[in-house]
Amino acid sequence: MTGLQSVALVTIVALCVSAGVANSFPLSTRSRWIVDENTGQRVKLHCVNWAGHMEAMLPEGLNKRPLGAIASRIASLGFNCVRLTWATFMFTNTTYAQRKVSESFLSLGLNQTLVGIATHNPSLLTLTVVEAQEAVVDALGKAGVMVVLDNHVSLPQWCCGEDDGNGFFGDTYFNPKVWQQGLRMVAERYRGKPQVVGMSLRNELRGPLQNQSGWYQNVKRGVKTIHKANPDLLVVVSGLSYSTDFSFLAQKPLEIKNNASLEKKLVYEAHWYSFSDGKREAWATLSPSWVCANLTAKFEEKAGFLVNKLNAPLFLSEFGLDQRGANQGDNRFLPCFIKYAAERDLDWAIWALQGSYYRRHDIVDNEETFGILDANWDQTRDPNFGKRYGLLEDTLQEAASNASSQGWHYIVHHPSTGLCLQANKDNTIQLSDCKNRSQWSYQGEGTPIKVKGTDLCLTRGAKRQPVFLSSNCKDLASKWNLVPSSKVQVAATDEEGGLQCLDSGSSNSTSIFTRDCVCLEGRICSDPNPQSQWFVLISSNVL
C-alpha cells in the first residue's frame, strides 16, 4: 500500500466513523442501555483510554505524531470514543491552568520532548494546557470520535496508589469543594461540543479514607454539579476500591430525587484487570476455566449485578493487558474478560492508547507495555489487535423497544482469538472474522446447534477430525452440551460416553475439530492451552 493509499484509507474510515455517530448526540440512558436521546437507538461505547492527567498536562504522544494523525488512527483501529483523562488542578489552580504547553515541558526539564512537539504539533506550543486539551477534543470530534472526560486525579501525576493523596474525598489533594469546582469548569467549557458525550466523577476511589457515607454524599453532589453545568452529558460514577466494588448499592441504590432528567444520564463504571484483587498469579498458575468461573462470579457480585438486578448501564471503563503477550496471567485473563463483556454486550474502554509517556516515575519517554500503540506511536504492539476485539465492537443487543422479536439467535465465539464460527456453503466449518459470523439456534442441553433457519447442524467427526454441517441432526454426534463446570466448553458425547469438546488447536489455525475435554474439574490444569477449547454461545437480537 502506498503512502497516499494509506492516508486515503484512514480518511475513509474516519469519515465512516463520523457518519456513524453524527446523529448520536446527546446520549441518554434507557434501563441498562446508553441510547441516542433523540431516536432511542442504542449507542454502544467501545473506547480507548488516552492519558492526559500526568505532570505535563498534555495528552501523551504529541511529541511522536501529529494530533490529527493520532485521532484518525484511533478511528481506524475501530474505536468510536476516547476516555480522555485529566487532572482537577489543571483547571482550578491558576498556576497550572495558565501555563503554556512550552512552559509546562520546560518546567519539567523535558527539553528534548518539547522538540518533538515543536516538530509534530507546533501550533500547540503557545496554547495553555487547557486550550491544548480542547484542541485534542476538537481533533477527536473531527475524526468522528466521541469523548468521555475522566477526572483521573487532582494533582497531575501517575495514578493510582493507596497513599498518593488523590484517593478519596478529604485526601491531601482531594478537597471536595475544589473537585466540584473542577467538574463545573470542565462541564461548562465543553458545553456545545457534541462529541463530548460524558464526564466521569472520579477515577478509582480508594485508600484508607474511603467509606460508603462519604461516597453517597459526594457522588450526589458531583452528579448534580455536572448536570447543572452541562445537562447533555452522561455522568459516569465510579465505585469504591479502585472502581471494583458497588456491592453496597444492592442494599441502598443511589437516588437522585426530583430530577428525572438526571436519572436518565447516570452510568456506572467498573474496572477489571488480571491483577485486580491480586489475582494475576492465579490466572498464570491455576486452571483458567476455574479462575474465570470464580472471578466472574465475584465481579458479578460486586459490579455486574448493576445490569441484571438494578437494570442500570455499566461501562467497563478500564481493562487491559501487556500488549506484547509476555504475561501469562494477562493472556489467560483476556479471553475471560471478552467472554463476559460479549455475553452482556457491555460498553467498554481499554487501557490504553499511549505507547509511551513524556515522563513517568521520573523516566523520560517511559514505555507503556499496556499501550496499544508501540513506543514510536506507529504500529500496534499486538499484530492481531484488530481481530481480537472485533465482536466487542459490535452492538449485539438492541434496546428492548427497538429489538426484533424474531431476531434472537446465537453467535458461537472463540474468545481466545476473537474469531467466530462460520458455516461455509460446502458444509465445512471454520473460525472467521466475526463480521462474517453465522447465526445459530440452540434449544439447550443435548440438542443440536443449527444454522438458524436451516436443517443443518454442527456435527463432530472422529476424534481430532474437523467438525462439519450435517442434516442428520438426531445423531449423537450432533447433540451438544455446555459443560457446566467450566461454562466455556461445548461438548458432544462420543460412542464410549466420553466428552469431546470443540477445539481450535493452535492460535494460528482457523479449523475446528473435537478432542477430549480438558480441565473439567478443580483448580489445577496440566493442559498447556486449555483456552483453545473455550467457545461461548453469545445471545444477540441484532440481525
Side-chain angles (χ1 to χ4, degrees):
M1 181 180 292
T2 68
L4 287 176
Q5 288 172 322
S6 178
V7 171
L9 177 60
V10 169
T11 302
I12 290 169
V13 171
L15 287 173
C16 291
V17 172
S18 180
V21 301
N23 297 314
S24 299
F25 311 122
L27 302 185
S28 186
T29 66
R30 177 182 295 170
S31 65
R32 59 152 295 193
W33 307 111
I34 295 171
V35 299
D36 180 330
E37 190 170 283
N38 296 310
T39 67
Q41 294 291 322
R42 182 162 176 222
V43 178
K44 181 177 180 179
L45 302 180
H46 40 96
C47 317
V48 64
N49 282 271
W50 188 0
H53 64 277
M54 304 280 277
E55 295 106 316
M57 296 175 289
L58 183 73
E60 306 292 334
L62 295 171
N63 62 325
K64 300 292 181 77
R65 291 288 180 268
L67 172 56
I70 294 175
S72 295
R73 181 66 161 148
I74 290 168
S76 72
L77 286 169
F79 298 110
N80 68 359
C81 108
V82 161
R83 181 177 182 250
L84 187 65
T85 67
W86 59 280
T88 300
F89 291 179
M90 178 177 156
F91 288 85
T92 61
N93 186 311
T94 55
T95 301
Y96 289 121
Q98 296 176 5
R99 189 174 293 172
K100 295 186 183 302
V101 169
S102 58
E103 295 170 343
S104 180
F105 281 83
L106 289 173
S107 71
L108 297 170
L110 297 175
N111 299 44
Q112 194 59 40
T113 307
L114 193 59
V115 171
I117 297 173
T119 300
H120 296 290
N121 294 285
S123 63
L124 298 180
L125 293 177
T126 57
L127 300 181
T128 66
V129 291
V130 172
E131 291 168 339
Q133 184 199 66
E134 187 169 356
V136 170
V137 169
D138 288 343
L140 290 169
K142 187 176 181 180
V145 178
M146 296 178 282
V147 179
V148 175
L149 294 167
D150 170 64
N151 180 225
H152 215 65
V153 288
S154 294
L155 178 70
Q157 64 176 46
W158 175 250
C159 178
C160 298
E162 286 284 299
D163 56 356
D164 62 7
N166 284 281
F168 199 73
F169 309 102
D171 263 354
T172 306
Y173 307 114
F174 198 169
N175 182 300
K177 290 184 178 180
V178 175
W179 166 71
Q180 288 180 64
Q181 178 191 4
L183 294 180
R184 176 182 55 76
M185 294 174 72
V186 172
E188 288 177 347
R189 185 175 190 92
Y190 289 101
R191 189 166 183 165
K193 289 186 183 290
Q195 72 270 32
V196 180
V197 297
M199 278 181 62
S200 73
L201 293 184
R202 185 68 166 206
N203 178 69
E204 296 197 350
L205 295 169
R206 62 195 180 277
L209 294 183
Q210 68 176 343
N211 63 88
Q212 293 178 18
S213 61
W215 185 91
Y216 282 103
Q217 181 183 57
N218 287 287
V219 163
K220 288 179 181 180
R221 290 172 178 169
V223 296
K224 290 177 181 178
T225 296
I226 291 175
H227 190 65
K228 182 178 179 181
N230 190 340
D232 285 339
L233 295 177
L234 296 172
V235 183
V236 185
V237 179
S238 169
L240 297 175
S241 300
Y242 294 85
S243 203
T244 65
D245 188 7
F246 286 100
S247 58
F248 49 92
L249 290 181
Q251 288 73 44
K252 184 183 176 183
L254 178 65
E255 295 181 348
I256 310 295
K257 295 181 179 178
N258 303 318
N259 200 328
S261 62
L262 176 51
E263 289 176 354
K264 293 180 181 179
K265 294 292 185 178
L266 286 179
V267 175
Y268 297 95
E269 65 173 328
H271 296 175
W272 193 9
Y273 292 93
S274 70
F275 54 76
S276 296
D277 294 323
K279 298 301 183 182
R280 181 181 261 170
E281 186 66 20
W283 284 108
T285 58
L286 302 179
S287 165
S289 299
W290 183 87
V291 176
C292 183
N294 281 271
L295 294 187
T296 295
K298 186 174 183 179
F299 184 88
E300 190 71 18
E301 179 183 335
K302 288 189 171 184
F305 76 93
L306 291 166
V307 172
N308 299 325
K309 294 183 180 179
L310 298 188
N311 211 23
L314 179 61
F315 177 31
L316 295 174
S317 62
E318 279 191 34
F319 75 98
L321 73 161
D322 188 329
Q323 291 287 332
R324 302 169 300 176
N327 187 283
Q328 178 81 311
D330 286 354
N331 296 341
R332 290 182 165 192
F333 158 77
L334 184 63
C336 181
F337 176 90
I338 289 176
K339 165 192 174 293
Y340 183 86
E343 286 177 329
R344 289 152 182 80
D345 199 20
L346 297 171
D347 303 87
W348 54 272
I350 190 170
W351 185 275
L353 175 70
Q354 61 269 8
S356 63
Y357 297 90
Y358 303 125
R359 187 177 77 175
R360 181 178 66 164
H361 304 318
D362 294 326
I363 300 173
V364 176
D365 207 26
N366 196 333
E367 188 170 0
E368 173 59 273
T369 58
F370 276 46
I372 292 164
L373 298 179
D374 62 19
N376 293 322
W377 290 66
D378 185 17
Q379 303 296 325
T380 57
R381 290 181 191 277
D382 178 1
N384 295 315
F385 177 83
K387 69 181 182 181
R388 295 189 82 175
Y389 304 91
L391 188 65
L392 293 189
E393 294 174 0
D394 288 353
T395 298
L396 305 178
Q397 297 181 35
E398 261 294 359
S401 61
N402 299 312
S404 168
S405 60
Q406 303 300 316
W408 284 104
H409 60 276
Y410 286 108
I411 301 160
V412 183
H413 187 234
H414 190 244
S416 294
T417 59
L419 301 178
C420 292
L421 217 59
Q422 177 183 310
N424 299 319
K425 292 181 179 179
D426 62 357
N427 291 345
T428 59
I429 299 291
Q430 69 178 88
L431 283 175
S432 177
D433 185 294
C434 287
K435 303 297 181 186
N436 302 316
R437 62 183 179 257
S438 297
Q439 296 183 5
W440 303 86
S441 62
Y442 179 60
Q443 301 302 315
E445 185 175 354
T447 65
I449 298 175
K450 292 185 175 182
V451 178
K452 186 181 178 184
T454 76
D455 292 325
L456 296 174
C457 55
L458 186 67
T459 303
R460 65 168 178 82
K463 188 182 299 187
R464 293 191 176 273
Q465 294 300 307
V467 297
F468 56 93
L469 291 179
S470 168
S471 58
N472 186 12
C473 298
K474 295 183 179 180
D475 190 82
L476 185 66
S478 300
K479 296 181 179 181
W480 299 90
N481 298 291
L482 306 182
V483 177
S485 58
S486 71
K487 301 180 182 178
V488 287
Q489 290 160 291
V490 180
T493 305
D494 62 23
E495 288 73 17
E496 289 78 38
L499 290 178
Q500 297 295 309
C501 278
L502 293 179
D503 201 305
S504 67
S506 72
S507 59
N508 297 320
S509 174
T510 60
S511 63
I512 304 296
F513 57 92
T514 58
R515 70 176 173 113
D516 291 340
C517 297
V518 299
C519 302
L520 294 181
E521 300 290 345
R523 303 170 66 225
I524 305 300
C525 172
S526 59
D527 193 281
N529 185 23
Q531 290 178 315
S532 66
Q533 290 190 350
W534 282 24
F535 286 84
V536 187
L537 271 64
I538 306 294
S539 296
S540 176
N541 61 2
V542 178
L543 297 175

